[in-house]
């Protein structure tokens, strides 16, 4: 058991977790790095898998229950000798041997995480406990994809990692926000109590190809609406802000965090900040200047502003986003056009 010392710092636990397979120290050991990606059939997860699979020394195992993800996102890897796909719900224990765990499993879009809030909490709490238990048993390093939602409706702007947040504990978004906050707590308790190697990324709004077309998130909504010639639905008042990170930048940040020496939490996001009205106007200009923009009713507890302070990511990970919104949106448009089968106007 870890003890708290007089200066409030935790001493390292007396019994460290088992180190990875003793075979790893053998110079004849041939195996690859085994990496588990929970939620790997989802939007960010599948892009992460693509990047991890580029390294021939990696063996990637995806565990996903396909709630919001799809095998289609992983189509090109199915059958690859270094790839394995398991239909698995993280609220159940998983017994496999791995060296690293990227723990992403959790619906990210408000309409999906509010659909079955009790299940969302179970996924965040029991799911994270199970993955930490696995990390402890096999001595794996584990990275949690937490969220900017842990800052709630922030009273500090931009948000840096020292901010404790302004979260409604009983609202309709709480299953996700508080679920992720507990997941972060569990990560640090396993770290202090059992010596588990942890990494926590606080992800800010991310967009790119493979997002679910009708998942209700703002960028996917606006692009699909513009392509279908429907009005862009700006939820009132439209002055609320978000900062959008292109998915390739996000994946780069997550891998740097996993491979680096810092536990985090570290904000990973693009500090470019836009109001939802500005985002609608940009999508309109880039995709179809003839579409209209209409104001619709908002949902409860919508954060009014959000922008990451990425000083830590820059200094500790040498990371900053490269893709500007105006460059990323056309890449997503192309993917949506293909899936919706809407050719570009001549
Ligand atoms: P996504 O919904 O596309 O992917 C989540 C994946 O997890 C899906 O494949 C889904 O089927 C799977 N999943 C959900 N519940 C599960 C369960 N109980 N067991 C096994 N698998 C389960 O979402 P995403 O945008 O790729 O987000 C990935 C992670 O990043 C999530 O943890 C999310 O909270 C976090 N995040 C994303 C954003 C964003 O803007 N996309 C922002 C902040 C945080
Ligand atoms: N939003 C909007 N129109 C839409 C969907 C969302 O104006 O069709 C707004 C929503 O009110 C919020 C922002 O876009 O202020 C981001 O919402 P999203 O669901 O994408 O993610 P969040 O950051 O709220 O989790």
């Amino acid at each position: 058991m870890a003890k708290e010392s007089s200066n409030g710092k935790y001493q390292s636990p007396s019994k460290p977790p088992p180190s990875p397979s003793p075979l790893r120290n053998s110079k004849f050991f041939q195996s690859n790095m085994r990496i588990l990606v929970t939620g790997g059939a989802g939007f960010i997860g599948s892009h992460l898998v693509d990047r991890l699979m580029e390294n021939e020394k990696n063996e990637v195992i995806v565990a996903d229950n396909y709630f919001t993800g799809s095998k289609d996102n992983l189509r090109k890897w199915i059958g690859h000798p270094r790839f394995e796909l398991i239909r698995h719900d993280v609220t159940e224990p998983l017994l496999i041997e791995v060296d690293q765990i990227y723990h992403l499993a959790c619906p990210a879009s408000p309409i999906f995480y509010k659909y079955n809030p009790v299940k969302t909490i179970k996924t965040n709490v029991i799911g994270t406990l199970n993955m930490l238990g696995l990390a402890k048993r096999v001595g794996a390093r584990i990275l949690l994809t937490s969220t900017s939602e842990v800052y709630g409706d922030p009273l500090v702007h931009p948000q840096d990692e020292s901010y404790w947040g302004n979260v409604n504990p009983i609202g309709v978004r709480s299953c996700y926000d508080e679920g992720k906050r507990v997941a972060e707590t569990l990560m640090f308790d396993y770290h202090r109590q059992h010596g588990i190697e942890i990494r926590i990324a606080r992800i800010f709004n991310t967009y790119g190809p493979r997002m679910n077309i009708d998942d209700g998130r703002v960028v996917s909504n606006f692009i699909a609406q513009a392509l279908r010639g429907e009005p862009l639905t700006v939820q009132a008042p439209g002055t609320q802000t978000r900062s959008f990170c292109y998915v390739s930048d996000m994946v780069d940040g997550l891998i740097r965090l996993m491979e680096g020496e810092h536990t985090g939490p570290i904000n990973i996001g693009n500090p470019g900040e836009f109001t939802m009205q500005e985002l609608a106007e940009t999508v309109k200009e880039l995709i179809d200047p003839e579409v209209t923009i209409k104001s619709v009713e908002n949902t409860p507890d919508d954060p009014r502003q959000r922008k990451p302070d990425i000083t830590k990511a820059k200094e500790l990970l040498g990371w900053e986003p490269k893709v500007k919104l105006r460059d990323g949106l056309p890449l997503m448009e192309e993917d949506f056009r293909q899936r919706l089968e809407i050719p570009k106007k001549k």
Side-chain angles (χ1 to χ4, degrees):
M1 287 276 287
K3 295 190 193 80
E4 201 172 352
S5 63
S6 52
N7 65 6
K9 294 243 166 72
Y10 285 82
Q11 293 165 352
S12 42
S14 49
K15 191 167 166 261
S19 44
S21 162
L23 261 180
R24 296 234 144 216
N25 299 323
S26 154
K27 66 177 178 176
F28 303 110
F29 189 55
Q30 298 282 316
S31 176
N32 296 323
M33 174 75 109
R34 284 155 305 185
I35 305 174
L36 170 65
V37 181
T38 74
F43 160 52
I44 300 177
S46 63
H47 285 278
L48 175 64
V49 169
D50 289 350
R51 280 285 292 282
L52 294 172
M53 285 295 292
E54 278 170 18
N55 183 340
E56 289 188 0
K57 289 197 175 341
N58 289 340
E59 225 170 82
V60 177
I61 303 165
V62 165
D64 200 297
N65 71 351
Y66 308 125
F67 174 44
T68 52
S70 131
K71 283 186 207 164
D72 210 38
N73 289 336
L74 298 167
R75 206 176 30 221
K76 69 175 166 194
W77 301 119
I78 293 173
H80 192 289
R82 288 187 286 108
F83 181 75
E84 232 176 300
L85 181 56
I86 310 173
R87 179 188 288 268
H88 179 80
D89 193 306
V90 292
T91 58
E92 301 293 335
L94 179 63
L95 296 176
I96 54 174
E97 310 305 313
V98 289
D99 305 298
Q100 289 184 341
I101 303 169
Y102 284 90
H103 178 39
L104 280 72
C106 177
S109 158
I111 57 169
F112 290 126
Y113 70 65
K114 290 184 209 168
Y115 169 76
N116 184 345
V118 173
K119 175 72 190 204
T120 301
I121 299 204
K122 283 187 183 170
T123 295
N124 277 315
V125 179
I126 303 173
T128 304
L129 261 173
N130 283 332
M131 291 310 113
L132 281 162
L134 172 62
K136 181 179 162 212
R137 186 175 61 80
V138 299
R141 181 178 291 182
I142 177 168
L143 179 149
L144 169 75
T145 51
S146 183
T147 167
S148 51
E149 292 276 330
V150 300
Y151 302 123
D153 187 11
L155 305 176
V156 165
H157 195 73
Q159 296 79 52
D160 72 37
E161 295 84 351
S162 66
Y163 179 49
W164 288 356
N166 175 39
V167 179
N168 176 357
I170 55 167
V172 290
R173 295 175 84 110
S174 312
C175 57
Y176 183 75
D177 303 6
E178 297 288 18
K180 289 282 187 182
R181 287 167 68 96
V182 174
E184 287 197 13
T185 308
L186 284 167
M187 293 281 287
F188 267 93
D189 282 337
Y190 266 74
H191 174 61
R192 286 182 289 243
Q193 194 172 330
H194 299 299
I196 304 298
E197 282 190 76
I198 60 157
R199 304 286 183 267
I200 297 178
R202 288 192 180 147
I203 296 184
F204 283 64
N205 296 62
T206 303
Y207 71 101
R210 294 192 200 143
M211 282 184 92
N212 280 315
I213 287 175
D214 289 309
D215 77 354
R217 286 190 265 188
V218 68
V219 183
S220 38
N221 264 11
F222 286 177
I223 290 188
Q225 288 162 342
L227 292 176
R228 289 167 171 150
E230 296 166 359
L232 310 190
T233 53
V234 174
Q235 293 175 352
T239 50
Q240 69 273 32
T241 66
R242 293 294 187 275
S243 305
F244 300 101
C245 185
Y246 191 67
V247 66
S248 57
D249 283 332
M250 178 54 56
V251 164
D252 185 35
L254 294 178
I255 293 176
R256 279 171 190 254
L257 176 60
M258 176 65 105
E259 298 300 332
E261 297 304 314
H262 301 276
T263 59
I266 296 189
N267 290 338
I268 313 270
N270 190 322
E273 186 184 10
F274 299 86
T275 67
M276 294 310 100
Q277 184 65 31
E278 284 168 345
L279 177 68
E281 279 158 13
T282 308
V283 170
K284 174 180 159 96
E285 181 201 320
L286 290 175
I287 298 185
D288 183 356
E290 281 168 26
V291 294
T292 54
I293 298 177
K294 77 170 180 190
S295 179
V296 298
E297 201 182 322
N298 205 342
T299 53
D301 290 339
D302 185 37
R304 282 163 292 182
Q305 52 181 3
R306 186 182 289 160
K307 169 185 166 138
D309 179 327
I310 59 163
T311 311
K312 258 179 116 176
K314 280 186 187 162
E315 286 175 0
L316 303 179
L317 309 179
W319 176 88
E320 64 182 313
K322 297 189 181 81
V323 183
K324 294 195 193 80
L325 187 64
R326 279 181 171 273
D327 298 329
L329 287 175
L331 302 174
M332 192 162 156
E333 175 193 345
E334 213 177 291
D335 170 64
F336 271 41
R337 274 191 191 281
Q338 279 180 16
R339 286 196 281 156
L340 288 167
E341 298 179 358
I342 300 176
K344 214 168 175 100
K345 284 184 196 160
K346 292 272 153 61

